């Protein structure tokens, strides 16, 4: 028996984007055993600092926490893609400042999540659909933010669901930034693998110390 709680943004809180189809939490409930439950606390539009507010509503019987947040933080720095620069190092330094600010906020958030004393998984920020005109630019820019997520997770012994690998088809997206029903199905399968790992399935191991 278990109780999974979903925290973060519209990657989980995607009901308004699936045209009446099942959202992520509905699909997760469908793939979990009958004695499991799932609660959605993620809020469409929230940034990393908003997770602290969500944590105040975690049910007392929660057994696992899953966090997908950071995409809206990255969107807040999208103006950097239009910033005139005189050299590649100058462009990298502009992203470095944004990366450092996000790294601080994400680490602070994750410390609060880990302090709940429950098993935790975090999700990376997935790529936009490959059919998007700016796909290569966006994918490259998101690497600055995903580096912060993986570093924070690995340093704390937290599991990672890499949505860049999970959502690898244009049909996984309802729009450039939210998951479709198809994408939600793949995301919930990955979450289930974290909650109920199959002993015969190989998983990556990260040695951080």
């Amino acid at each position: 028996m278990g109780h999974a709680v979903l925290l973060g943004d519209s990657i989980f809180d995607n009901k308004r984007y699936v045209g009446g189809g099942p959202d992520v939490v509905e699909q997760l409930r469908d793939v979990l055993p009958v004695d499991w439950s799932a609660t959605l606390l993620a809020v469409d539009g929230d940034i990393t600092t908003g997770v602290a507010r969500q944590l105040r509503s975690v049910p007392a019987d929660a057994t696992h926490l899953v966090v997908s947040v950071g995409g809206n933080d990255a969107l807040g720095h999208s103006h950097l893609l239009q910033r005139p620069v005189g050299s590649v190092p100058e462009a990298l330094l502009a992203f470095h400042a944004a990366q450092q600010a996000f790294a601080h906020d994400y680490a602070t958030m994750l410390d609060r999540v880990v302090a709940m004393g429950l098993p935790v998984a975090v999700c990376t920020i997935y790529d936009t659909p490959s059919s998007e005109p700016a796909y290569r630019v966006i994918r490259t820019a998101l690497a600055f933010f995903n580096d912060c997520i993986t570093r924070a997770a690995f340093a704390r012994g937290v599991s990672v669901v890499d949505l860049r690998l999970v959502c690898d088809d244009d049909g996984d997206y309802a729009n450039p930034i939210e998951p479709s029903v198809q994408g939600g199905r793949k995301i919930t399968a990955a979450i289930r693998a974290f909650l109920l790992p199959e002993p015969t399935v190989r998983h990556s191991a990260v040695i951080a110390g």
Side-chain angles (χ1 to χ4, degrees), residues 155-170:
R156 292 160 179 79
V158 167
S159 297
V160 175
V161 175
D162 198 335
L163 296 185
R164 295 169 296 183
L165 303 180
V166 172
C167 295
D168 58 356
D169 181 85
D170 280 10

Side-chain angles (χ1 to χ4, degrees), residues 18-57:
V18 291
D23 60 2
V24 166
V25 72
E26 290 178 77
Q27 294 188 80
L28 181 59
R29 290 168 183 150
D30 285 343
V31 301
L32 289 176
V34 294
D35 58 349
W36 276 70
S37 58
T39 294
L40 176 68
L41 295 181
V43 177
D44 182 8
D46 259 3
I47 60 175
T48 297
T49 54
V51 174
R53 182 189 68 257
Q54 298 172 21
L55 285 172
R56 294 198 289 267
S57 299

